[in-house]
Amino acid sequence: MQRNASGTQKRCYSCKQVHYPNISPVAITLVTSETGDECLLVRQPQFVNGMFTAIAGYIETGETLEDAVRREVAEEVGMQVVGQQYLKSQHWPFPANTLMLEIGRAHV
């Protein structure tokens, strides 16, 4: 496979077919208190003791980043997000994922 200059496609040497990588965007949010002094972390049963994480999940087709954050927070902890602030995005170290980070405030 030969990658084009921008890295958005690869062409097979033998059949010349062009392949485009799938990208799966992921939303991660740090839910904070109104003052921003506290944050909500979650853990899964398979985590080692003391390991916690921010709430994250894949953005579904047709869903905005903001909608995904509200849905993930509601699904994982049953809270309603009342304010969001986009922070940044970055390539995630897993193949074909882009991570987008938001800071969210939620009703307790």
Side-chain angles (χ1 to χ4, degrees), residues 75-97:
E75 285 177 0
E76 292 195 26
V77 295
M79 298 173 83
Q80 178 186 2
V81 174
V82 295
Q84 297 181 51
Q85 176 186 355
Y86 175 80
L87 189 60
K88 68 183 294 181
S89 66
Q90 73 176 46
H91 175 58
W92 205 356
F94 301 107
N97 290 141

Side-chain angles (χ1 to χ4, degrees), residues 66-80:
E66 296 80 10
D67 290 340
V69 165
R70 284 190 289 272
R71 178 182 51 76
E72 286 293 334
V73 171
E75 285 177 0
E76 292 195 26
V77 295
M79 298 173 83
Q80 178 186 2

Side-chain angles (χ1 to χ4, degrees), residues 17-105:
Q17 183 170 353
V18 177
H19 298 271
Y20 298 91
N22 292 326
I23 297 176
S24 301
V26 175
I28 184 168
T29 188
L30 184 63
V31 178
T32 64
S33 63
E34 195 171 315
T35 61
D37 294 339
E38 299 173 308
C39 67
L40 174 67
L41 298 175
V42 295
R43 68 181 314 279
Q44 297 180 8
Q46 67 268 23
F47 285 0
V48 296
N49 287 339
M51 182 178 172
F52 296 87
T53 186
I55 295 172
Y58 289 102
I59 299 173
E60 296 177 0
T61 302
E63 190 174 46
T64 66
L65 172 60
E66 296 80 10
D67 290 340
V69 165
R70 284 190 289 272
R71 178 182 51 76
E72 286 293 334
V73 171
E75 285 177 0
E76 292 195 26
V77 295
M79 298 173 83
Q80 178 186 2
V81 174
V82 295
Q84 297 181 51
Q85 176 186 355
Y86 175 80
L87 189 60
K88 68 183 294 181
S89 66
Q90 73 176 46
H91 175 58
W92 205 356
F94 301 107
N97 290 141
T98 298
L99 178 68
M100 291 171 269
L101 176 62
E102 283 205 356
I103 303 297
R105 306 231 188 289

